[in-house]
Amino acid sequence: MKAVLHQICKSYGPTQVLDNLSLTLEGVTVLMAPSGQGKTTLARLLLGLEQPDSGRMEITGHLVAQFQEDRLCEHLTAVENICLVLGKSGKNRAEQALKQLGLEEQALKKPVCQLSGGQRRRVSLVRAMLADAEGVILDEPFKGLDADSRAMALEWVKQQIQGRWILLITHDKTEAEALGGTLLEW
């Protein structure tokens, strides 16, 4: 499973964000760059939310993403948000994953609008990682987590990779080192 990009260019008006970018995403790839350098643009291109100005992409299979913002259905519980990608039969799997990431039983039953930012972040992460997809894009997935929750989440993500490719977009070298893989710095 992989995604291959050939000479991708993307501009917004006069600002060139990606210029002849060629790379292959397989296994774990960690992308680090200062803000405004095209990291999220790359994710949006891979997901088909935007189109490149030129170049081509070869992507096999389905992709999922965890964006910088959680994008949860506020009125649904944590488990119900995850079951959107797993189906109702995935309830036990969703509950188990959330508990592994430190959410308590009572948090699983509340609408996500009543959860803390760190709890919401973990719900979003579980939803992306448990979805049936060959590629997973994680755009700053651990932001807002305390040190213990972040370490727990990083370890959990490593256990969930299972033959898929992962693009981790981060500003944190600790996260990059923890997941390993290929490091791209722009």
Side-chain angles (χ1 to χ4, degrees):
M1 317 300 162
K2 63 183 175 180
V4 181
L5 289 77
H6 300 278
Q7 298 181 324
I8 298 296
C9 294
K10 180 66 179 174
S11 297
Y12 297 101
T15 305
Q16 183 85 31
V17 179
L18 299 174
D19 186 19
N20 288 314
L21 175 65
S22 294
L23 63 97
T24 299
L25 299 170
E26 55 188 342
V28 176
T29 302
V30 180
L31 176 56
M32 295 183 65
S35 295
Q37 298 299 307
K39 299 180 305 296
T40 298
T41 297
L42 173 60
R44 292 180 59 79
L45 290 169
L46 288 165
L47 293 164
L49 299 173
E50 295 190 32
Q51 296 302 311
D53 299 333
S54 62
R56 64 183 163 77
M57 298 185 294
E58 299 167 23
I59 301 171
T60 56
H62 294 93
L63 303 182
V64 294
Q66 178 190 18
F67 295 93
Q68 290 181 30
E69 54 289 325
D70 296 320
R71 298 187 184 191
L72 299 170
C73 295
E74 297 289 321
H75 65 288
L76 298 178
T77 67
V79 173
E80 289 169 339
N81 265 278
I82 296 165
C83 285
L84 291 172
V85 299
L86 292 181
K88 289 182 182 178
S89 64
K91 181 180 178 200
N92 290 337
R93 191 171 169 210
E95 289 175 351
Q96 180 184 17
L98 290 168
K99 288 176 183 177
Q100 288 173 337
L101 290 178
L103 271 77
E104 296 177 2
E105 187 74 34
Q106 69 230 27
L108 304 182
K109 295 177 170 82
K110 292 180 181 178
V112 294
C113 63
Q114 295 177 14
L115 299 181
S116 71
Q119 290 172 320
R120 293 167 56 86
R121 200 72 191 137
R122 287 176 278 172
V123 172
S124 178
L125 179 61
V126 169
R127 186 175 63 185
M129 291 302 299
L130 292 187
D132 184 21
E134 287 76 18
V136 182
I137 299 168
L138 302 173
D139 195 351
E140 298 186 37
F142 310 108
K143 75 175 185 179
L145 297 182
D146 60 58
D148 289 341
S149 295
R150 182 173 61 171
M152 190 182 312
L154 278 162
E155 186 58 36
W156 184 82
V157 167
K158 286 193 314 192
Q159 295 170 10
Q160 301 303 311
I161 294 172
Q162 303 169 355
R164 300 182 285 179
W165 62 265
I166 305 285
L167 174 62
L168 170 64
I169 300 170
T170 185
H171 293 281
D172 189 309
K173 284 200 182 279
T174 305
E175 294 171 7
E177 292 167 359
L179 273 190
T182 303
L183 177 62
L184 298 176
E185 293 186 89
W186 292 351

